Amino acid sequence: MKKQHKWFFAVAAGLTLTSVVSTSCVDDIKFGSAFLEKAPGGDVTSDTVFNSPEYVRQFLNTLYTFQYYGLPFRNSSSDAYPCESSNPYVGKPEALTDCYIYTYLSSGIVNSYYYGTHTSNYGQRSDKWDYLKNRVWQAVRYGYLIIENIDRVPGMEESEKASIVAQAKCIIASRYFDTFRHYGGLPIIDHSFSGTDASYDLPRATVEETVNFMIKLLDEAKEVLPWTVDNPQTNAGRWNRAAAMALKCRILQFAASPLFNDDVAYAGGSSEAEAQHLVWYGGYKAELWTQCLQACEEFFNELNANGGYSLVQSKGTRPEDYRLAYRTSYAELDSPEILMSTRQFGYDAFKSGNYIWHQWGDPLGTTDASRNGIRRGYTPTQEYVEMFPWADGTPFDWDKTAAEGRLDEMFMTGSPNGGEDGKSNIVLTRDPRLYEEAIVNGQPTALDWTTGNMSGRSFEAWVGGYDAQQEPDNQTGSFATGYAPIKYLMGPDMLRHYTQWVVLRLSDMYLTYAEALCQNNRLADAIAQVDIVRARVGMKGLAECNPDKNLTGNKDALLEEILRERACELGMEDTRFFDLIRYKRADIFEKQLHGLRISRTGEFAGEGWYNGDKTQPYPTHFEYEKYELSNPVRYWWTNGFDAKWYLSPFPLTEVNKGYGLIQNPGW
């Protein structure tokens, strides 16, 4: 894997920020949440910070640490860590979709959502996005402190001041969008308001006002920022014009979608929030999809003119070569595909003592022979696995494959010792992205970062196998569904590597562009954008592979394929959950999900191979049975999906403060 970047957004105890951009000998400053409220003579005041270019740069670095990092990595309620959503005891929203289940039954996701007990009077680690505990409003305030005070910094070039302000605006907009997609219209804060005044009035803005506010910040920022960061080796992870324009596309995509943009409000229209247009536009506006399309076209026009970003392409034509290209696209710190990412330096190295994402969720994150690690994770469902087509791009059909007697080939052919001289002759048979989104039976444990060669033993996902043990029967652990997670994990392949959270990447932009084209009835153009993403992993075109779906003439069918393609390309990146939310897909949220029970046959049924009699040929024939997931049964599966679940409730204590925060429908 390539050399690490030198520049990271560090989160340290007490928020001690060390500038690595400058070589100045100025002392580092500790920024606490209320440091600017100190009286003169205190440790740090605004006069101290904004009297030094170096301190301002450190302050900007602090602001960067307040951004969203989407992998739950640390259990802490300390103010020194960025977001409650980064706590594994909360859980990721992707576990509420049809793609994953979360096997830690004491998490907020399970207790509040799987069991259907959530209320607006919730406490710590209960909501998927706590309104107050994700450092959103701290980031907004810090951003405006920079904007309001930058002009009085002595000895700083005007161009650097403008760049710092533009970066602050991007962070404010991104933090607003992080929250907007959970709550709808938000109070508009346009200055360094502390929220500690004795009395104040800060009502929710409408959806339209909130969207316009975010877009205005990004439009202003993009006029200043460079298309790419000036020095990727030191400044990767800084906001740039490409990222600002891409975030604009994503905001408009969400705003134009049926949750907020429909003929009828999502909860029926009788609530105060709906009447005041706090959770929708008040009717369907086709021009919103036009605006989204125009933003996408502007982005790709800039890309064509300036370059700087590209999809990672395969160096060969084997399925594992395409798999490596896909892995590299999101996992390499210097991937040319990444427009914006966030990191948690000091916590995100595999086997780090502080980084729970790997400790809890990686099936290879433990070295004990009994495989008895923590093994709590986001295990892929059968429904998700069946979304991935065959390697050539044609749809996978379970019933057809079973009727043809080919279920043993649904993941790969060959075995670890089935070739000449007992070597592996495994050939992957499905969309190469599948093996980066889920660990399937027979999949080799390692993928070389340079050659793409697969090696190591094969995962044994059958009941009684070395890896799965009894987990599919008990519906617990990493293999609770008969599959295990791998995205952002990758076992020893990630040793001494750092795990970034990809905020925006180019393949997402192609698929966003495709969706906007589809919604504007340019179906052939939409298919062409999807095909760019599919070609990167060696698959044929979407329409060619689905001749029975009339994708060039059936808008609804094409939209379904785009959403499926987004799930396959952007798994574990928060995409599926928000796609289902913005399209109001109660039908999918209500759907009973399944795992796959794989059984070894013959004399050694119920036994592992790796920890058993390895003189026998590696098993290649199994029996397969889909089973209903029931540990636990989701409330939505048996009681239906109430429309209130589309948005989170504001905390009742916050609503009761009386500054104008109107509750979301149903809560």
Side-chain angles (χ1 to χ4, degrees):
M1 195 171 177
K2 295 183 177 65
K3 185 178 179 180
Q4 303 289 347
H5 290 303
K6 298 176 182 177
W7 196 89
F8 293 90
F9 302 135
V11 180
L15 288 177
T16 302
L17 270 293
T18 304
S19 174
V20 298
V21 178
S22 171
T23 57
S24 169
C25 295
V26 177
D27 292 337
D28 299 327
I29 288 183
K30 292 184 178 181
F31 296 116
S33 292
F35 82 95
L36 289 178
E37 296 163 8
K38 290 180 180 292
D43 295 336
V44 182
T45 68
S46 60
D47 289 338
T48 303
V49 173
F50 293 104
N51 195 43
S52 163
E54 181 60 23
Y55 288 165
V56 171
R57 296 181 190 115
Q58 292 180 34
F59 190 38
L60 177 65
N61 288 353
T62 302
L63 178 57
Y64 267 101
T65 70
F66 290 176
Q67 295 185 110
Y68 175 53
Y69 181 83
L71 302 176
F73 73 98
R74 187 170 177 86
N75 174 30
S76 175
S77 58
S78 168
D79 188 53
Y81 299 100
C83 298
E84 188 180 85
S85 60
S86 293
N87 193 309
Y89 288 91
V90 176
K92 284 180 63 62
E94 290 291 83
L96 299 174
T97 72
D98 54 342
C99 295
Y100 305 94
I101 64 168
Y102 191 30
T103 60
Y104 180 50
L105 301 187
S106 296
S107 66
I109 287 289
V110 172
N111 283 321
S112 295
Y113 294 88
Y114 282 17
Y115 296 144
T117 63
H118 199 28
T119 71
S120 60
N121 191 26
Y122 61 84
Q124 189 178 31
R125 302 168 185 164
S126 297
D127 194 272
K128 55 185 170 56
W129 186 263
D130 191 297
Y131 183 66
L132 299 176
K133 297 176 183 176
N134 279 292
R135 310 206 77 177
V136 172
W137 307 114
Q138 293 94 323
V140 171
R141 180 167 184 255
Y142 271 42
Y144 278 114
L145 286 169
I146 288 176
I147 294 168
E148 293 165 358
N149 290 279
I150 194 72
D151 285 339
R152 62 189 181 103
V153 180
M156 178 179 281
E157 295 288 340
E158 292 301 315
S159 59
E160 184 178 3
K161 290 181 180 179
S163 174
I164 288 174
V165 167
Q167 292 174 66
K169 288 180 178 179
C170 287
I171 293 173
I172 293 170
S174 69
R175 297 271 57 198
Y176 257 86
F177 182 61
D178 289 337
T179 309
F180 171 76
R181 59 187 183 172
H182 289 277
Y183 289 93
L186 299 167
I188 300 298
I189 298 176
D190 58 5
H191 59 284
S192 56
F193 180 81
S194 69
T196 60
D197 304 58
S199 63
Y200 51 92
D201 182 48
L202 199 63
R204 287 181 72 178
T206 66
V207 162
E208 184 170 10
E209 290 167 342
T210 307
V211 169
N212 291 343
F213 170 72
M214 294 184 285
I215 296 302
K216 181 175 183 292
L217 289 170
L218 294 171
D219 281 344
E220 292 170 351
K222 76 179 179 65
E223 296 302 319
V224 175
L225 295 173
W227 175 248
T228 60
V229 292
D230 296 328
N231 187 344
Q233 285 298 311
T234 58
N235 289 328
R238 296 277 188 180
W239 280 93
N240 53 71
R241 187 161 79 252
M245 295 175 70
L247 181 57
K248 177 180 178 178
C249 295
R250 181 176 287 181
I251 292 170
L252 291 173
Q253 174 197 44
F254 202 103
S257 298
L259 179 68
F260 295 147
N261 184 31
D262 208 344
D263 293 327
V264 180
Y266 73 82
S270 61
S271 70
E272 184 178 2
E274 291 166 304
Q276 295 193 24
H277 298 174
L278 307 181
V279 293
W280 73 315
Y281 275 90
Y284 179 71
K285 296 185 176 183
E287 62 267 25
L288 292 174
W289 278 116
T290 303
Q291 292 171 19
C292 180
L293 177 58
Q294 290 171 344
C296 290
E297 290 174 336
E298 183 181 2
F299 172 86
F300 280 102
N301 286 339
E302 287 263 6
L303 178 64
N304 292 334
N306 298 313
Y309 304 95
S310 60
L311 294 184
V312 177
Q313 299 297 333
S314 170
K315 297 178 181 179
T317 58
R318 301 174 302 168
E320 51 265 48
D321 295 325
Y322 295 121
R323 179 186 168 192
L324 177 61
Y326 175 72
R327 172 182 285 192
T328 301
S329 71
Y330 78 89
E332 287 277 30
L333 298 182
D334 55 359
S335 165
E337 193 164 323
I338 295 175
L339 308 173
M340 181 65 194
S341 65
T342 58
R343 304 168 196 168
Q344 295 295 334
F345 183 58
Y347 301 98
D348 64 347
F350 179 45
K351 291 193 175 179
S352 163
N354 296 318
Y355 193 66
I356 296 177
W357 172 252
H358 284 299
Q359 289 179 340
W360 278 31
D362 200 318
L364 292 176
T366 176
T367 57
D368 68 308
S370 63
R371 318 302 299 153
N372 287 328
I374 297 176
R375 298 169 71 85
R376 298 167 182 162
Y378 301 85
T379 61
T381 65
Q382 181 65 20
E383 282 73 13
Y384 187 32
V385 171
E386 290 190 27
M387 292 183 195
F388 292 86
W390 292 103
D392 65 354
T394 54
F396 174 82
D397 184 303
W398 174 278
D399 292 334
K400 182 175 183 290
T401 305
E404 294 172 350
R406 296 178 56 213
L407 288 180
D408 284 326
E409 301 174 14
M410 65 178 159
F411 303 130
M412 63 201 68
T413 59
S415 71
N417 61 358
E420 293 184 10
D421 300 323
K423 296 181 179 179
S424 172
N425 63 348
I426 290 175
V427 177
L428 305 179
T429 58
R430 296 281 287 281
D431 178 344
R433 297 172 298 188
L434 170 61
Y435 310 95
E436 290 298 307
E437 302 290 355
I439 292 171
V440 301
N441 190 42
Q443 179 172 326
T445 56
L447 181 75
D448 188 271
W449 285 98
T450 302
T451 66
N453 292 337
M454 299 183 296
S455 61
R457 64 178 183 83
S458 287
F459 282 102
E460 299 180 11
W462 64 83
V463 176
Y466 178 71
D467 297 282
Q469 302 177 62
Q470 301 303 313
E471 290 179 353
D473 276 351
N474 298 331
Q475 298 187 32
T476 58
S478 297
F479 282 87
T481 61
Y483 304 100
I486 188 172
K487 185 74 170 281
Y488 284 117
L489 294 167
M490 295 175 273
D493 286 353
M494 285 299 288
L495 281 172
R496 294 175 296 280
H497 294 111
Y498 290 92
T499 308
Q500 64 188 336
W501 172 251
V502 177
V503 179
L504 297 158
R505 62 185 176 103
L506 190 55
S507 63
D508 188 357
M509 287 303 301
Y510 280 113
L511 296 175
T512 299
Y513 190 17
E515 184 180 341
L517 287 163
C518 177
Q519 290 288 5
N520 281 276
N521 297 306
R522 292 170 55 183
L523 306 192
D525 291 338
I527 292 169
Q529 299 304 312
V530 176
D531 286 351
I532 292 172
V533 177
R534 288 167 62 91
R536 186 260 293 281
V537 289
M539 295 194 299
K540 296 183 294 186
L542 189 63
E544 178 185 357
C545 291
N546 295 273
D548 58 324
K549 294 180 180 178
N550 186 26
L551 298 182
T552 58
N554 188 326
K555 177 180 176 180
D556 291 338
L558 177 56
L559 180 59
E560 283 297 305
E561 283 300 304
I562 291 173
L563 294 179
R564 181 200 56 76
E565 196 70 30
R566 287 173 59 81
C568 294
E569 175 70 21
L570 305 168
M572 198 48 71
E573 297 182 35
D574 288 353
T575 298
R576 183 63 171 177
F577 175 75
F578 290 111
D579 282 355
L580 298 183
I581 289 293
R582 61 191 179 87
Y583 275 99
K584 299 189 292 189
R585 294 303 299 268
D587 60 318
I588 294 178
F589 283 120
E590 293 174 349
K591 182 173 61 178
Q592 170 70 53
L593 300 179
H594 297 80
L596 181 65
R597 181 178 291 105
I598 305 173
S599 301
R600 187 178 181 181
T601 61
E603 179 183 357
F604 298 96
E607 298 181 13
W609 183 85
Y610 183 75
N611 58 337
D613 186 356
K614 291 195 287 290
T615 64
Q616 301 297 316
Y618 189 88
T620 57
H621 176 63
F622 301 90
E623 293 179 351
Y624 304 92
E625 178 190 3
K626 297 182 188 181
Y627 60 92
E628 292 187 354
L629 296 172
S630 58
N631 186 28
V633 172
R634 292 187 197 175
Y635 178 84
W636 300 337
W637 297 346
T638 56
N639 294 274
F641 185 88
D642 191 298
K644 72 176 186 178
W645 296 103
Y646 286 125
L647 294 179
S648 283
F650 289 99
L652 185 61
T653 53
E654 200 68 11
V655 173
N656 289 342
K657 289 179 180 178
Y659 59 80
L661 196 62
I662 295 172
Q663 185 59 276
N664 277 331
W667 296 105

